[in-house]
Each structure stands twice: as C-alpha cells, then as structure tokens.
Amino acid sequence: MKTYHFKGILQNTGWKENTSITVNHNGIITDISSFDSQHSLPNEITNGFVIPGFQNAHSHAFQYAMAGLAERHEGGTNPDDFWGWREAMYQLALSMNPDQMEAIATMLYAEMVRHGYTNVAEFHYIHHDKNGKSYSNLSEMGSRLIAAAKTAGIGITLIPIFYQKGGFGKKPNDRQRRFISPTIDEYLRLLESSKEACKNYKHANIAIGIHSMRGVAPSDISEIAKSGPQDIPFHIHVSEQLKEIEDSIAYLGKRPVEWLLDTIEMNERFHLVHATHLTDNEITGIAKSKANVVLCPSTEGNLGDGIFPLKKYQEEDGKWSIGTDSHIGINPLEELRILDYGQRLISHKRNIYSSTQQGDSGMYALEMATITGRRAMNNFNTDFFKVGELLNASVIDASSPLITTSSVKNLASTIVYSGNLDIQLGTIVQGKMITSSGNYEKYQTIKEKFIKTMNELKNR
Ligand SMILES: [Zn+2]
C-alpha cells in the first residue's frame, strides 16, 4: 500500500484539488479521497498536479537510433522525400541484432517515461535475422521489446506486423527481408508466439497489425480482419503519402481508406495510423465506423507527409490519439501542440480543438489523447483515475513559475501549451513514481548500454 497526496488530480470533469490516491502493491488504485490542506496536512505531499499517463499509440523503437540523421542535404542536392528517408531506415533495420534492439528500445522507453508516457503501442516489423531467416524463437525481436519495456517500466502493447509485399502487387525487395511473413498462416504463428512472449511481463499485451495497404495483399487484409482474433486492437498505416494513394487507385481502383471502408467492417478496435490524405467521404466514413486515427505530428512533419484534416474529422465526432512513430520528438505536449498549430496555420484561426470540454483546448487534447490512446492499447477505461484501475500518471511540478501562478481554470491549457520536460516532476507507472530528472542509477545503466550499442552500430 502507498498513498500519494497531490495538490490536484485531473478528472474527466476537471481538477480535484488536495486529493490522495492510494494504490496496492500491484499499482491498482484502491482509494481516491480529498484531504483538508488547512488542518490535517498529510506528511508526504507530492508538490504536483497529476494528469493521466500519456499513451503513445505508435512507435517503431529501432528508428530512435536514426533520429536526426536524415536531415543533411549537402551540396544543394534535390529535396529529399519520404522514400529517400525510407532507404536510410532500411539500412538501419538490416544492421541491428537482438541485443542492440533491446538496448535501443530500453533507452527510448526510459525517455518516454521521463516525458510522461506510461504506455506504448509498438508497431513491430523487424522479425527475422539479418539474412531474413526466422529466429528459433519466432518472436525473438518482439521478446526483446517486451524486455525493454519491462526494464524501463512502461506498459507495452506489442503489435507484430504482417508485412508481405514490396508495394501493391509487388514482391518484397531484398532490403525488406527481415520484415516478411509470406502467408497468413506464417503471420498467425508469429502472432501466437508474440502473444506467448507477452506472458513474460505483466504489463504487456498483444494487438494485430498490418503494415499498410501496399504491404499486404488486399485479400489477406480482409481475411485477417474477418477471421483473426476479434478482441484485440487492429493497427494499420494508411494514406500517409500521396504516392501510396495513386498506387492504390491504379491497383485497386480505390483509395486506401475508401477500400477499407468498402471491404472491412471497421469498428472501435481499428486504429488507422496517419490517415493524412482523406476525402470528405473517407473522413465521414471513418468517424461513422467508430474506427480511430493515430496522429504522429512530429514525425509527419519531419517526413513531409501532410496535414491531417482534423477540423472536419472533429465535426464528425472522429476520435484520435497520438504516437511518436520515428521518435524525432518524444514529448507528448509537443505532439499536441504541433497537431493544433498545423490546423491554425492552414485555417488562419485559433483554438481549433473541439469544444466538448467547455471550450478548453488543453483539456480537450488531454481527454482525446488519453481515452483514444488507451483504446489503442485495448484499454476501454474512460475515467482518468478510477478505483480498480492502474495508477498511471504524469506529475506536473506545482512550483514551476507558470503552474504555481495559474488558476485551476487555466491549468490544463497552461500545461499543454507552455509545458515541456522542465515542468515534469516524474511519471507514475503502475503505481510507482519514476523521476523525470534521469538522475537515478537504472537510467544511467540504460544510457551506458545505449551508448555502447550506438558505438557498435556506428550509424550516428
Ligand atoms: Zn509508423
């Protein structure tokens, strides 16, 4: 048992000041109650305001090792694009062994925790060895990601990805050899093995993933959606790049999302990653189907993908979460801001975020990222903090200059619009507080292993 006493906790309806949360040894909340700060001051007050732990709904852990490496354009060569970046990513994917994967993922996940993320959905597709042969343990690489999450303390939803093709109707190229499951049966064996691997960590669970419409034969996508497990989330990259849409129209006669809407009965377990380029009909179709979108604003900006039509999607009551994808940015507050500012820049208007929270943009952003993000992890709890659920929270320093002087009314937006790592005291994952300073022994060990690994890979 442990009781935390906070200056305030954010509930779905707003701030509840001077509140204690008690957790049992499993990190499950057993009590939420108020204390009287004037009279019976508890001995151990955490000088913080807590918000729900952030949900990182889209990650490719290995790509953290190449953050910042694809930004050079020496000698005024032609502008680079997504497809050039992808070649650099393939080279990295081919070079990494399981130990290196684990060291990189552990560093990344420790950084995510430091920034307030308590859960990550890992969209994982490096399944095989460097020659493209299966490891004796089919989910060797997935197991390493789970081990990394366990060491860093973050909850993980492992999404072993079905990746089959090198483009619409095209055989995979040799540089994709570590990713490929040629048939549905082989993919289902990988999924089963990955599910077993999740048993090694109490806070790991499984989801289904399709790389993209171009990555798997359409008939196999609809087959997996229909006959695969129905009780776990289904993630897919879709409509990120304009070329992908042109290729889809040429091959299928339909745009990717149009095809999904016409072919698969989507519901709230479906998570469409990016969905950047949509027609009005597709926007309405996604929202009506109750499927969700996962937006990765820092990566989408870095790759020059485009800007998601958020305004129209919100008008249709569409649901979205955030992910850090390539990890060029790992600050959830920054993701929420980039998403909002992209909309403001193209509409020449302010406060685009929907007004379900009495016109409080910060509150709306936190609510949407939390509730839809949890859904991406197969967690359908909609209460920010609730007895019987794990205590996962980001703890904001109540003494930082703008926070300590803010009224409760402006607190959520002050955090979202002006906050960075400097206002973060720590993150409570599964009931345990991990400081955001990085000033603890385990973090130092993780960092040493990461540095050693990067020195071996020599890609930076
Ligand atoms: Zn991705």
Side-chain angles (χ1 to χ4, degrees):
M1 281 291 206
K2 178 168 175 63
T3 300
Y4 294 96
H5 308 285
F6 299 112
K7 295 276 282 190
I9 71 168
L10 188 61
Q11 293 288 42
N12 304 56
T13 47
W15 291 95
K16 199 165 178 288
E17 291 177 89
N18 300 322
T19 299
S20 307
I21 300 183
T22 303
V23 292
N24 66 17
H25 66 283
N26 288 321
I28 306 279
I29 301 173
T30 56
D31 184 60
I32 301 175
S33 51
S34 310
F35 61 85
D36 182 346
S37 63
Q38 297 302 313
H39 299 104
S40 55
L41 208 61
N43 6 1
E44 217 194 313
I45 292 192
T46 304
N47 192 25
F49 289 99
V50 293
I51 58 179
F54 284 100
Q55 310 291 305
N56 193 337
H58 192 66
S59 160
H60 309 283
F62 77 97
Q63 293 179 13
Y64 182 55
M66 63 177 284
L69 296 188
E71 313 301 326
R72 302 182 69 88
H73 44 94
E74 283 137 4
T77 46
N78 290 331
D80 191 17
D81 62 12
F82 173 87
W83 309 98
W85 172 89
R86 192 177 70 159
E87 283 305 317
M89 182 271 283
Y90 283 169
Q91 289 313 315
L92 176 68
L94 284 171
S95 67
M96 208 172 277
N97 69 32
D99 286 344
Q100 292 165 337
M101 172 69 110
E102 184 172 339
I104 291 164
T106 309
M107 183 79 257
L108 169 68
Y109 294 161
E111 286 296 272
M112 283 184 192
V113 169
R114 222 156 68 84
H115 285 79
Y117 286 110
T118 57
N119 296 79
V120 60
E122 179 64 37
F123 197 100
H124 162 56
Y125 55 80
I126 305 183
H127 304 306
H128 312 311
D129 71 14
K130 291 178 189 177
N131 299 315
K133 297 265 178 326
S134 299
Y135 287 105
S136 56
N137 168 12
L138 287 183
S139 57
E140 173 67 30
M141 291 296 245
S143 306
R144 300 307 192 103
L145 293 162
I146 291 169
K150 193 175 180 178
T151 307
I154 199 167
I156 184 170
T157 299
L158 182 67
I159 316 170
I161 294 302
F162 189 9
Y163 203 144
Q164 188 187 42
K165 300 279 182 193
F168 288 98
K170 285 187 189 147
K171 287 200 176 113
N173 69 50
D174 185 53
R175 295 176 319 290
Q176 295 169 313
R177 61 185 178 268
R178 300 190 74 178
F179 315 157
I180 301 300
S181 305
T183 62
I184 289 187
D185 281 353
E186 279 175 75
Y187 173 66
L188 290 177
R189 276 198 290 278
L190 173 70
L191 184 69
E192 197 50 41
S193 171
S194 307
K195 200 171 149 192
E196 277 302 302
C198 288
K199 292 181 182 162
N200 294 325
Y201 178 34
K202 198 163 43 166
H203 303 291
N205 67 339
I206 192 88
I208 289 182
I210 299 289
H211 181 270
S212 54
M213 290 293 300
R214 65 185 144 83
V216 176
S219 55
D220 285 356
I221 298 176
S222 60
E223 179 64 28
I224 285 278
K226 264 184 233 143
S227 60
Q230 302 294 309
D231 55 350
I232 56 177
F234 186 110
H235 290 236
I236 181 170
H237 284 140
V238 73
S239 295
E240 178 180 10
Q241 287 281 323
L242 291 170
K243 181 177 181 303
E244 177 192 343
I245 294 171
E246 289 161 18
D247 291 351
S248 175
I249 293 170
Y251 185 73
L252 289 168
K254 287 184 183 181
R255 301 163 59 86
V257 171
E258 183 186 11
W259 184 90
L260 284 173
L261 288 166
D262 288 352
T263 317
I264 293 176
E265 211 169 304
M266 291 200 289
N267 54 37
E268 57 185 8
R269 82 183 175 96
F270 285 77
H271 296 267
L272 311 185
V273 182
H274 306 303
T276 312
H277 304 285
L278 301 175
T279 62
D280 283 359
N281 280 343
E282 288 174 324
I283 295 170
T284 308
I286 295 172
K288 272 212 176 108
S289 74
K290 305 272 185 228
N292 315 276
V293 298
V294 184
L295 303 170
C296 308
S298 61
T299 293
E300 288 157 8
N302 183 268
L303 295 178
D305 288 344
I307 292 184
F308 178 79
L310 185 69
K311 196 165 183 298
K312 165 89 176 148
Y313 185 63
Q314 284 182 158
E315 284 163 11
E316 304 284 340
D317 199 24
K319 306 288 189 250
W320 55 266
S321 59
I322 53 167
T324 60
D325 196 356
S326 71
H327 316 297
I328 189 71
I330 46 173
N331 174 359
L333 301 171
E334 184 183 64
E335 299 299 332
L336 296 174
R337 292 195 288 262
I338 298 176
L339 177 61
D340 188 359
Y341 293 164
Q343 305 297 318
R344 295 186 189 202
L345 287 164
I346 55 170
S347 67
H348 310 158
K349 295 275 194 305
R350 300 186 69 254
N351 293 331
I352 300 299
Y353 279 152
S354 168
S355 57
T356 51
Q357 285 285 353
Q358 290 96 39
D360 184 340
S361 297
M363 186 70 191
Y364 167 79
L366 292 175
E367 181 187 49
M368 188 59 75
T370 299
I371 293 173
T372 314
R374 282 180 185 166
R375 224 182 261 172
M377 320 287 167
N378 214 10
N379 173 358
F380 284 79
N381 171 30
T382 56
D383 289 332
F384 285 4
F385 298 102
K386 185 183 179 187
V387 170
E389 296 290 331
L390 282 171
L391 176 57
N392 281 326
S394 162
V395 186
I396 305 298
D397 184 356
S399 68
S400 70
L402 289 175
I403 303 295
T404 195
T405 52
S406 281
S407 61
V408 160
K409 182 177 149 216
N410 291 315
L411 206 46
S413 282
T414 302
I415 293 168
V416 170
Y417 289 93
S418 75
N420 283 304
L421 190 58
D422 57 336
I423 63 158
Q424 171 104 12
L425 272 185
T427 304
I428 300 177
V429 274
Q430 303 124 25
K432 288 198 187 69
M433 173 92 153
I434 299 179
T435 165
S436 286
S437 68
N439 192 14
Y440 56 97
E441 206 184 314
K442 199 174 184 183
Y443 182 86
Q444 295 308 326
T445 312
I446 292 169
K447 191 168 151 187
E448 276 161 28
K449 277 194 187 158
F450 174 74
I451 292 170
K452 183 175 159 280
T453 297
M454 296 316 296
N455 287 337
E456 287 164 12
L457 284 172
K458 292 193 178 70
N459 71 318
R460 299 194 65 83

Short mmCIF file of all heavy atoms in Angstrom, two decimals, residues 370-418:
data_model
loop_
_atom_site.label_atom_id
_atom_site.label_comp_id
_atom_site.label_asym_id
_atom_site.label_seq_id
_atom_site.Cartn_x
_atom_site.Cartn_y
_atom_site.Cartn_z
N THR A 370 -5.81 10.71 -24.20
CA THR A 370 -5.86 9.68 -23.16
C THR A 370 -6.84 8.56 -23.52
O THR A 370 -6.48 7.38 -23.54
CB THR A 370 -6.31 10.30 -21.81
OG1 THR A 370 -5.37 11.30 -21.43
CG2 THR A 370 -6.42 9.25 -20.72
N ILE A 371 -8.06 8.94 -23.81
CA ILE A 371 -9.10 7.92 -23.96
C ILE A 371 -8.93 7.12 -25.25
O ILE A 371 -8.99 5.89 -25.25
CB ILE A 371 -10.50 8.56 -23.85
CG1 ILE A 371 -10.67 9.07 -22.40
CG2 ILE A 371 -11.61 7.57 -24.20
CD1 ILE A 371 -11.90 9.88 -22.15
N THR A 372 -8.64 7.81 -26.36
CA THR A 372 -8.44 7.07 -27.61
C THR A 372 -7.11 6.32 -27.58
O THR A 372 -6.99 5.22 -28.10
CB THR A 372 -8.49 8.03 -28.82
OG1 THR A 372 -9.61 8.89 -28.67
CG2 THR A 372 -8.62 7.26 -30.12
N GLY A 373 -6.10 6.93 -26.93
CA GLY A 373 -4.80 6.27 -26.81
C GLY A 373 -4.92 4.97 -26.02
O GLY A 373 -4.34 3.95 -26.39
N ARG A 374 -5.70 4.99 -24.96
CA ARG A 374 -5.89 3.76 -24.19
C ARG A 374 -6.54 2.69 -25.04
O ARG A 374 -6.19 1.50 -24.97
CB ARG A 374 -6.78 4.04 -22.97
CG ARG A 374 -6.05 4.72 -21.84
CD ARG A 374 -7.03 4.95 -20.72
NE ARG A 374 -6.47 5.69 -19.61
CZ ARG A 374 -7.20 6.23 -18.65
NH1 ARG A 374 -8.53 6.11 -18.67
NH2 ARG A 374 -6.63 6.89 -17.66
N ARG A 375 -7.50 3.11 -25.86
CA ARG A 375 -8.19 2.16 -26.72
C ARG A 375 -7.21 1.45 -27.67
O ARG A 375 -7.36 0.28 -27.96
CB ARG A 375 -9.19 2.96 -27.56
CG ARG A 375 -10.53 2.32 -27.66
CD ARG A 375 -11.41 3.16 -28.53
NE ARG A 375 -12.29 4.01 -27.77
CZ ARG A 375 -13.05 4.95 -28.31
NH1 ARG A 375 -12.99 5.17 -29.62
NH2 ARG A 375 -13.84 5.66 -27.57
N ALA A 376 -6.19 2.20 -28.10
CA ALA A 376 -5.17 1.61 -28.99
C ALA A 376 -4.41 0.50 -28.27
O ALA A 376 -3.78 -0.35 -28.89
CB ALA A 376 -4.21 2.69 -29.48
N MET A 377 -4.46 0.54 -26.93
CA MET A 377 -3.78 -0.49 -26.10
C MET A 377 -4.77 -1.56 -25.63
O MET A 377 -4.46 -2.35 -24.77
CB MET A 377 -3.16 0.15 -24.84
CG MET A 377 -2.50 1.48 -25.02
SD MET A 377 -0.93 1.36 -25.89
CE MET A 377 -0.65 3.11 -26.26
N ASN A 378 -5.98 -1.51 -26.11
CA ASN A 378 -7.05 -2.42 -25.68
C ASN A 378 -7.55 -2.12 -24.27
O ASN A 378 -8.00 -3.01 -23.55
CB ASN A 378 -6.61 -3.89 -25.77
CG ASN A 378 -7.77 -4.80 -26.15
OD1 ASN A 378 -8.85 -4.32 -26.52
ND2 ASN A 378 -7.56 -6.10 -26.06
N ASN A 379 -7.48 -0.86 -23.87
CA ASN A 379 -7.97 -0.45 -22.56
C ASN A 379 -9.13 0.51 -22.79
O ASN A 379 -8.95 1.60 -23.33
CB ASN A 379 -6.82 0.24 -21.80
CG ASN A 379 -7.25 0.86 -20.49
OD1 ASN A 379 -8.43 0.82 -20.13
ND2 ASN A 379 -6.30 1.44 -19.78
N PHE A 380 -10.32 0.07 -22.39
CA PHE A 380 -11.51 0.87 -22.69
C PHE A 380 -12.00 1.69 -21.49
O PHE A 380 -13.12 2.19 -21.47
CB PHE A 380 -12.62 -0.02 -23.25
CG PHE A 380 -12.36 -0.41 -24.69
CD1 PHE A 380 -11.46 -1.43 -25.01
CD2 PHE A 380 -12.96 0.27 -25.73
CE1 PHE A 380 -11.18 -1.76 -26.33
CE2 PHE A 380 -12.70 -0.05 -27.06
CZ PHE A 380 -11.80 -1.08 -27.36
N ASN A 381 -11.13 1.83 -20.48
CA ASN A 381 -11.49 2.67 -19.35
C ASN A 381 -11.49 4.14 -19.78
O ASN A 381 -10.52 4.64 -20.34
CB ASN A 381 -10.44 2.46 -18.23
CG ASN A 381 -10.61 3.45 -17.10
OD1 ASN A 381 -11.72 3.91 -16.82
ND2 ASN A 381 -9.50 3.79 -16.45
N THR A 382 -12.59 4.83 -19.54
CA THR A 382 -12.68 6.23 -19.97
C THR A 382 -12.46 7.21 -18.81
O THR A 382 -12.36 8.41 -19.04
CB THR A 382 -14.03 6.54 -20.63
OG1 THR A 382 -15.07 6.19 -19.72
CG2 THR A 382 -14.21 5.76 -21.93
N ASP A 383 -12.42 6.71 -17.58
CA ASP A 383 -12.18 7.61 -16.44
C ASP A 383 -10.69 7.89 -16.32
O ASP A 383 -9.87 6.98 -16.40
CB ASP A 383 -12.65 6.96 -15.13
CG ASP A 383 -14.16 6.90 -15.07
OD1 ASP A 383 -14.81 7.77 -15.69
OD2 ASP A 383 -14.68 5.97 -14.42
N PHE A 384 -10.34 9.15 -16.08
CA PHE A 384 -8.92 9.49 -15.97
C PHE A 384 -8.27 8.68 -14.83
O PHE A 384 -7.24 8.05 -15.02
CB PHE A 384 -8.74 10.98 -15.72
CG PHE A 384 -8.96 11.84 -16.94
CD1 PHE A 384 -9.37 11.29 -18.15
CD2 PHE A 384 -8.75 13.22 -16.88
CE1 PHE A 384 -9.56 12.07 -19.27
CE2 PHE A 384 -8.94 14.01 -18.01
CZ PHE A 384 -9.35 13.44 -19.20
N PHE A 385 -8.85 8.77 -13.64
CA PHE A 385 -8.35 7.99 -12.50
C PHE A 385 -9.56 7.32 -11.85
O PHE A 385 -10.57 7.97 -11.59
CB PHE A 385 -7.64 8.89 -11.48
CG PHE A 385 -6.42 9.56 -12.06
CD1 PHE A 385 -6.45 10.89 -12.46
CD2 PHE A 385 -5.24 8.84 -12.24
CE1 PHE A 385 -5.33 11.50 -13.03
CE2 PHE A 385 -4.11 9.43 -12.80
CZ PHE A 385 -4.17 10.76 -13.20
N LYS A 386 -9.41 6.03 -11.56
CA LYS A 386 -10.58 5.28 -11.10
C LYS A 386 -10.12 4.14 -10.18
O LYS A 386 -9.13 3.46 -10.48
CB LYS A 386 -11.27 4.70 -12.33
CG LYS A 386 -12.57 3.99 -12.09
CD LYS A 386 -13.04 3.42 -13.44
CE LYS A 386 -14.32 2.66 -13.32
NZ LYS A 386 -14.66 2.01 -14.59
N VAL A 387 -10.85 3.93 -9.11
CA VAL A 387 -10.57 2.80 -8.22
C VAL A 387 -10.69 1.51 -9.03
O VAL A 387 -11.61 1.35 -9.82
CB VAL A 387 -11.55 2.80 -7.02
CG1 VAL A 387 -11.44 1.51 -6.21
CG2 VAL A 387 -11.28 4.01 -6.12
N GLY A 388 -9.72 0.62 -8.84
CA GLY A 388 -9.73 -0.65 -9.57
C GLY A 388 -8.85 -0.65 -10.81
O GLY A 388 -8.59 -1.68 -11.40
N GLU A 389 -8.39 0.56 -11.22
CA GLU A 389 -7.52 0.67 -12.39
C GLU A 389 -6.08 0.96 -11.93
O GLU A 389 -5.86 1.45 -10.83
CB GLU A 389 -7.98 1.82 -13.30
CG GLU A 389 -9.36 1.62 -13.91
CD GLU A 389 -9.39 0.52 -14.97
OE1 GLU A 389 -8.35 0.29 -15.62
OE2 GLU A 389 -10.46 -0.10 -15.13
N LEU A 390 -5.11 0.71 -12.81
CA LEU A 390 -3.72 1.04 -12.50
C LEU A 390 -3.55 2.55 -12.34
O LEU A 390 -4.19 3.32 -13.06
CB LEU A 390 -2.80 0.59 -13.63
CG LEU A 390 -2.43 -0.88 -13.73
CD1 LEU A 390 -1.70 -1.14 -15.05
CD2 LEU A 390 -1.54 -1.29 -12.54
N LEU A 391 -2.66 2.94 -11.42
CA LEU A 391 -2.31 4.37 -11.34
C LEU A 391 -1.18 4.63 -12.33
O LEU A 391 -0.03 4.24 -12.11
CB LEU A 391 -1.89 4.75 -9.92
CG LEU A 391 -1.41 6.21 -9.78
CD1 LEU A 391 -2.47 7.21 -10.23
CD2 LEU A 391 -0.99 6.51 -8.34
N ASN A 392 -1.52 5.27 -13.45
CA ASN A 392 -0.56 5.70 -14.46
C ASN A 392 -0.76 7.19 -14.64
O ASN A 392 -1.86 7.63 -14.99
CB ASN A 392 -0.81 4.99 -15.80
CG ASN A 392 -0.25 3.57 -15.81
OD1 ASN A 392 0.79 3.30 -15.19
ND2 ASN A 392 -0.92 2.68 -16.50
N ALA A 393 0.28 7.97 -14.36
CA ALA A 393 0.07 9.42 -14.34
C ALA A 393 1.34 10.18 -14.65
O ALA A 393 2.46 9.70 -14.42
CB ALA A 393 -0.43 9.84 -12.96
N SER A 394 1.16 11.38 -15.18
CA SER A 394 2.27 12.30 -15.35
C SER A 394 2.12 13.34 -14.25
O SER A 394 1.03 13.87 -14.02
CB SER A 394 2.16 12.92 -16.74
OG SER A 394 2.93 14.08 -16.81
N VAL A 395 3.21 13.61 -13.52
CA VAL A 395 3.13 14.52 -12.36
C VAL A 395 3.80 15.84 -12.73
O VAL A 395 4.99 15.91 -13.01
CB VAL A 395 3.83 13.90 -11.13
CG1 VAL A 395 3.62 14.79 -9.91
CG2 VAL A 395 3.31 12.49 -10.87
N ILE A 396 2.99 16.90 -12.72
CA ILE A 396 3.47 18.22 -13.13
C ILE A 396 3.90 19.01 -11.89
O ILE A 396 3.17 19.06 -10.89
CB ILE A 396 2.34 18.98 -13.87
CG1 ILE A 396 1.80 18.16 -15.06
CG2 ILE A 396 2.79 20.36 -14.30
CD1 ILE A 396 2.79 17.84 -16.14
N ASP A 397 5.04 19.63 -11.98
CA ASP A 397 5.63 20.36 -10.85
C ASP A 397 4.77 21.59 -10.50
O ASP A 397 4.71 22.56 -11.27
CB ASP A 397 7.04 20.81 -11.25
CG ASP A 397 7.77 21.50 -10.12
OD1 ASP A 397 7.16 21.70 -9.04
OD2 ASP A 397 8.96 21.85 -10.31
N ALA A 398 4.13 21.54 -9.33
CA ALA A 398 3.23 22.63 -8.93
C ALA A 398 3.98 23.91 -8.60
O ALA A 398 3.36 24.97 -8.45
CB ALA A 398 2.38 22.18 -7.75
N SER A 399 5.30 23.83 -8.45
CA SER A 399 6.04 25.04 -8.07
C SER A 399 6.67 25.73 -9.28
O SER A 399 7.29 26.78 -9.13
CB SER A 399 7.12 24.68 -7.05
OG SER A 399 8.11 23.89 -7.67
N SER A 400 6.52 25.16 -10.49
CA SER A 400 7.14 25.84 -11.64
C SER A 400 6.38 27.16 -11.90
O SER A 400 5.19 27.26 -11.60
CB SER A 400 7.17 24.92 -12.86
OG SER A 400 5.89 24.73 -13.35
N PRO A 401 7.07 28.18 -12.44
CA PRO A 401 6.53 29.55 -12.41
C PRO A 401 5.11 29.71 -12.97
O PRO A 401 4.26 30.32 -12.32
CB PRO A 401 7.54 30.34 -13.26
CG PRO A 401 8.78 29.54 -13.24
CD PRO A 401 8.40 28.11 -13.04
N LEU A 402 4.85 29.16 -14.14
CA LEU A 402 3.51 29.39 -14.72
C LEU A 402 2.45 28.52 -14.06
O LEU A 402 1.28 28.90 -14.01
CB LEU A 402 3.56 29.12 -16.24
CG LEU A 402 4.32 30.15 -17.07
CD1 LEU A 402 4.40 29.71 -18.53
CD2 LEU A 402 3.68 31.54 -16.97
N ILE A 403 2.86 27.34 -13.56
CA ILE A 403 1.89 26.44 -12.95
C ILE A 403 1.45 26.98 -11.58
O ILE A 403 0.26 27.04 -11.27
CB ILE A 403 2.47 25.01 -12.79
CG1 ILE A 403 2.92 24.45 -14.14
CG2 ILE A 403 1.48 24.07 -12.10
CD1 ILE A 403 1.84 24.23 -15.16
N THR A 404 2.41 27.42 -10.81
CA THR A 404 2.08 27.87 -9.44
C THR A 404 1.21 29.13 -9.45
O THR A 404 0.46 29.38 -8.51
CB THR A 404 3.37 28.05 -8.59
OG1 THR A 404 3.01 28.13 -7.23
CG2 THR A 404 4.16 29.29 -8.98
N THR A 405 1.28 29.90 -10.53
CA THR A 405 0.50 31.14 -10.59
C THR A 405 -0.79 30.99 -11.40
O THR A 405 -1.54 31.95 -11.56
CB THR A 405 1.34 32.27 -11.23
OG1 THR A 405 1.88 31.80 -12.48
CG2 THR A 405 2.49 32.69 -10.32
N SER A 406 -1.06 29.78 -11.90
CA SER A 406 -2.28 29.59 -12.72
C SER A 406 -3.49 29.28 -11.87
O SER A 406 -3.40 28.54 -10.90
CB SER A 406 -2.09 28.43 -13.70
OG SER A 406 -1.34 28.83 -14.79
N SER A 407 -4.64 29.83 -12.30
CA SER A 407 -5.89 29.40 -11.67
C SER A 407 -6.19 28.00 -12.20
O SER A 407 -5.68 27.59 -13.26
CB SER A 407 -7.02 30.35 -12.06
OG SER A 407 -7.18 30.33 -13.46
N VAL A 408 -7.02 27.28 -11.46
CA VAL A 408 -7.40 25.93 -11.85
C VAL A 408 -8.01 25.94 -13.26
O VAL A 408 -7.76 25.04 -14.07
CB VAL A 408 -8.38 25.36 -10.80
CG1 VAL A 408 -9.17 24.20 -11.36
CG2 VAL A 408 -7.61 24.92 -9.56
N LYS A 409 -8.76 26.99 -13.55
CA LYS A 409 -9.43 27.10 -14.85
C LYS A 409 -8.44 27.04 -16.02
O LYS A 409 -8.73 26.48 -17.07
CB LYS A 409 -10.18 28.44 -14.86
CG LYS A 409 -10.97 28.74 -16.09
CD LYS A 409 -11.71 30.07 -15.92
CE LYS A 409 -11.85 30.73 -17.29
NZ LYS A 409 -11.74 32.17 -17.24
N ASN A 410 -7.26 27.61 -15.82
CA ASN A 410 -6.29 27.68 -16.93
C ASN A 410 -5.18 26.64 -16.86
O ASN A 410 -4.24 26.68 -17.66
CB ASN A 410 -5.67 29.08 -16.98
CG ASN A 410 -6.68 30.12 -17.40
OD1 ASN A 410 -7.42 29.91 -18.35
ND2 ASN A 410 -6.75 31.23 -16.68
N LEU A 411 -5.29 25.74 -15.88
CA LEU A 411 -4.18 24.83 -15.62
C LEU A 411 -3.92 23.83 -16.76
O LEU A 411 -2.78 23.64 -17.18
CB LEU A 411 -4.47 24.09 -14.31
CG LEU A 411 -3.30 23.56 -13.51
CD1 LEU A 411 -2.19 24.59 -13.37
CD2 LEU A 411 -3.79 23.11 -12.12
N ALA A 412 -4.98 23.20 -17.25
CA ALA A 412 -4.78 22.17 -18.29
C ALA A 412 -4.14 22.79 -19.53
O ALA A 412 -3.18 22.24 -20.10
CB ALA A 412 -6.10 21.50 -18.64
N SER A 413 -4.62 23.94 -19.95
CA SER A 413 -4.06 24.56 -21.16
C SER A 413 -2.66 25.13 -20.90
O SER A 413 -1.84 25.18 -21.82
CB SER A 413 -5.00 25.63 -21.71
OG SER A 413 -6.06 25.01 -22.41
N THR A 414 -2.40 25.57 -19.67
CA THR A 414 -1.04 26.03 -19.36
C THR A 414 -0.06 24.87 -19.51
O THR A 414 1.03 25.03 -20.07
CB THR A 414 -0.96 26.62 -17.94
OG1 THR A 414 -1.90 27.70 -17.84
CG2 THR A 414 0.43 27.14 -17.61
N ILE A 415 -0.46 23.70 -19.04
CA ILE A 415 0.40 22.51 -19.17
C ILE A 415 0.59 22.16 -20.65
O ILE A 415 1.71 22.01 -21.13
CB ILE A 415 -0.21 21.31 -18.40
CG1 ILE A 415 -0.20 21.58 -16.89
CG2 ILE A 415 0.52 20.02 -18.74
CD1 ILE A 415 -1.03 20.60 -16.07
N VAL A 416 -0.51 22.08 -21.38
CA VAL A 416 -0.42 21.62 -22.78
C VAL A 416 0.31 22.63 -23.66
O VAL A 416 1.14 22.26 -24.48
CB VAL A 416 -1.83 21.31 -23.35
CG1 VAL A 416 -1.78 21.07 -24.86
CG2 VAL A 416 -2.42 20.09 -22.65
N TYR A 417 0.01 23.92 -23.48
CA TYR A 417 0.55 24.91 -24.43
C TYR A 417 1.89 25.51 -24.02
O TYR A 417 2.61 26.03 -24.87
CB TYR A 417 -0.50 26.01 -24.71
CG TYR A 417 -1.62 25.44 -25.55
CD1 TYR A 417 -2.77 24.92 -24.95
CD2 TYR A 417 -1.48 25.34 -26.93
CE1 TYR A 417 -3.77 24.34 -25.72
CE2 TYR A 417 -2.48 24.75 -27.71
CZ TYR A 417 -3.61 24.25 -27.10
OH TYR A 417 -4.59 23.66 -27.86
N SER A 418 2.24 25.44 -22.71
CA SER A 418 3.53 26.04 -22.34
C SER A 418 4.47 25.04 -21.70
O SER A 418 5.60 25.37 -21.39
CB SER A 418 3.30 27.22 -21.38
OG SER A 418 2.97 26.73 -20.09
#
